[in-house]
Amino acid sequence: MRVDAQASRAVVEADLWQQSDMLSMYNVMEVPGLPNGQASLVEGLRAADAKGATLALKDRGAGDFGIAGGQRIRLSYTVRLEHDKYPWPAGMEEVSYRTDEGMMATGAALFFADGDAPVQAPIEVDFDLPRGWQARTPWTSAGDGDRFRVDSRRELISNALFLGTAHAETFDAGGVELTLVLGERYRRSLPLFVDLLSTQLASYAELFGGPPLSRRYLIIINEHASGDGGAFASSFSQFVQGDADERNRVIWGYVMAHELLHFWNGLSIVPADHREEWFKEGVTDYLTIVTLARNGWLDENLLFKRLENVPRRYLIARYAQNLQMSVRDAGKDKQPNRQLVYGGGSLAALALDVALRERSGDRVGLPEFMRALHAEFGKPGKTYALADLERIAKALTGSDFSGFFAGTVGSESYFDIRPSYAALGLRMDSFAEEMFINREPDASPAQRARFKAVFGSPAVR
C-alpha cells in the first residue's frame, strides 16, 4: 500500500489466492453521499489472473464483487482518504481520519479480502509511506521497513492502524505488549495513560482468569469533540475532548477502560450474533464501573454518578426515544438503539451480578461468571449464545436463570432496577430523567457487605 505525499490517496496492489466467487470489503456502512459506504471511496478497481489477463468483476453493492474464484489473482485500486468528511454511524474513529501527523485507518477501510472463505496464511502487508512516516500496527514486524506479518483475515481487516509521524510508546503490562500512539496534544499525558492502562489490565486479567487472546495491542489517541472510541481485534482508537488530565479522567479514563476491557469481553469472548450485543457492551460498561471503583479511579461520589447514568440511559431509550423492542433485539441496529443496548445491557449486568450473589448465598458473583465464560469461550472461532449464559449461571448457583434473562433483556416492558440497587444497600430516587443514588441508612449488614464485595471501598487515588 502506497500513500501519496498529501495523504489524500492510497494505492493498493494485492497478490492473493481467491478461493470463493466473492471479493469483499468488510464492515461497509452506507452513509449520505456514499451509497456503498467505504467501498464508494475505491477507484479504479482492477483484477487480473496470474498471467495478467483481466478478470471480470460484478459489482453487487455494499463492497461485494463477484469474481471467478479458485485461482491466484492480482488486484489494484486506489482509496480516496477522505473518510473523515462523512457522518459514520459509529464515528470516524472506527473508520479513518487524518491529522497533522498522519492518518488513522482500519484495515476494513483499506483492504479487500475473500468474501466467503478464510484468507490463507501467510499474509504480509508492505507500506510505502511519505518521507518521515512510520506504520504503527498491532501486527508482527517482518523485517526492515514497514513490512508486517498478519496472522489472519480478522487481524487484517478488524484492526486500527496509524501511519505518520505521531509519537509512539511501547510498554509491557502483565505480559501484554501495548503500543500507544499519541497525538501531539497528549504526549505530556503519557504517564496518566500508562498508569490507568496498567492498573486496569491487571484487574481484567484477574477478573477473567487470564490474558486476552492477543498479546500485542495498539492504542491510538487523538483529539476530537466526540470523546468516543472503538475496539478492534487487537487495537482500539480513541478520541479525547480537549486535554487529558486528572480533572477529566472520569470521561477519557472511562472510555479507555471500557475499550480495553473489550479485548476480553467482545474480542476474546464473542457473541454468536447481534442478540447478545447487550452483553458485549452492557457487561463491559458495568464491569468498567466496578473495576474503576475498586482501583480507586472513582470515589464514592463519582461511583454513584456513574450508577445514576445507567438507569437514566435506559429511561431515555424507553421514554424519550420510545424504543419498544427488547434489549436483545435492539442489538440488530446498535447505533440508533445505543441507549437501550448500553443502558439496558448495563442494568441487566448489574441485576445479574446481584442475582448471582443472592441465589448463591453470596458465594459467587459476576466475576466468577465471567471467569467461567472466558474459560469455555475465550478461544478462536468459538461463540456463545443466551442459552450458554443461562447454563453457566445455573451451574454456578443451582438456580434457573431463564426467567431472569427473559425479564431483563428479552421483554419489551420496563425493567425496574431499584430492587437490585436495594440489595446492594443503595436507594434510588427518581423523577422523570433525574436519578439520585445514595446509601440506604437502614441497609442490612449483608447488603452493605455485598456492596463492598462488588465495588470495594471506593476512594480517591
Side-chain angles (χ1 to χ4, degrees), residues 115-296:
D116 290 322
V119 176
Q120 296 297 303
I123 304 169
E124 285 193 354
V125 179
D126 191 6
F127 294 99
D128 182 359
L129 303 174
R131 183 182 299 274
W133 280 30
Q134 282 186 280
R136 306 293 185 182
T137 81
W139 306 328
T140 304
S141 176
D144 295 335
D146 292 311
R147 175 173 292 182
F148 300 89
R149 187 168 59 252
V150 188
D151 292 336
S152 66
R153 178 176 66 188
R154 178 170 178 262
E155 288 285 329
L156 174 72
I157 300 300
S158 181
N159 263 315
L161 322 169
F162 192 87
L163 312 176
T165 61
H167 181 72
E169 289 276 347
T170 299
F171 63 97
D172 181 89
V176 175
E177 181 185 287
L178 287 181
T179 296
L180 278 175
V181 177
L182 303 175
E184 185 174 6
R185 185 168 189 168
Y186 303 108
R187 294 180 190 179
R188 64 180 179 272
S189 302
L190 176 64
L192 291 176
F193 296 143
V194 172
D195 193 8
L196 186 138
L197 287 166
S198 299
T199 304
Q200 291 300 117
L201 267 174
S203 292
Y204 298 158
E206 180 182 1
L207 174 67
F208 289 92
L213 284 179
S214 296
R215 298 298 179 91
R216 180 185 293 106
Y217 290 95
L218 180 73
I219 299 171
I220 302 166
I221 300 174
N222 276 300
E223 181 182 4
H224 191 268
S226 74
D228 207 349
F232 305 94
S234 47
S235 54
F236 72 78
S237 168
Q238 179 173 348
F239 281 138
V240 177
Q241 185 179 21
D243 291 331
D245 54 32
E246 294 183 359
R247 292 176 299 167
N248 64 354
R249 184 168 50 201
V250 67
I251 302 296
W252 64 258
Y254 184 83
V255 174
M256 183 173 286
H258 174 103
E259 300 301 342
L260 190 68
L261 201 150
H262 270 318
F263 290 155
W264 282 265
N265 187 34
L267 297 171
S268 296
I269 308 171
V270 181
D273 56 43
H274 70 269
R275 290 173 295 178
E276 270 49 76
E277 193 71 22
W278 70 269
F279 192 91
K280 187 182 86 174
E281 295 295 355
V283 170
T284 295
D285 242 8
Y286 171 68
L287 289 175
T288 299
I289 296 171
V290 168
T291 53
L292 287 173
R294 295 185 66 87
N295 288 331

Side-chain angles (χ1 to χ4, degrees), residues 275-342:
R275 290 173 295 178
E276 270 49 76
E277 193 71 22
W278 70 269
F279 192 91
K280 187 182 86 174
E281 295 295 355
V283 170
T284 295
D285 242 8
Y286 171 68
L287 289 175
T288 299
I289 296 171
V290 168
T291 53
L292 287 173
R294 295 185 66 87
N295 288 331
W297 298 111
L298 298 177
D299 61 19
E300 189 164 288
N301 179 54
L302 289 175
L303 169 62
F304 287 173
K305 286 181 182 295
R306 280 288 174 193
L307 293 179
E308 289 161 1
N309 282 342
V310 173
R312 184 180 293 116
R313 298 180 79 178
Y314 181 67
L315 181 142
I316 289 170
R318 286 296 192 209
Y319 294 112
Q321 292 184 280
N322 197 32
L323 299 181
Q324 300 303 315
M325 75 284 285
S326 71
V327 175
R328 293 188 75 205
D329 289 340
K332 187 175 183 179
D333 202 2
K334 184 172 81 170
Q335 293 307 323
N337 301 334
R338 184 181 180 91
Q339 300 295 352
L340 188 55
V341 172
Y342 285 72

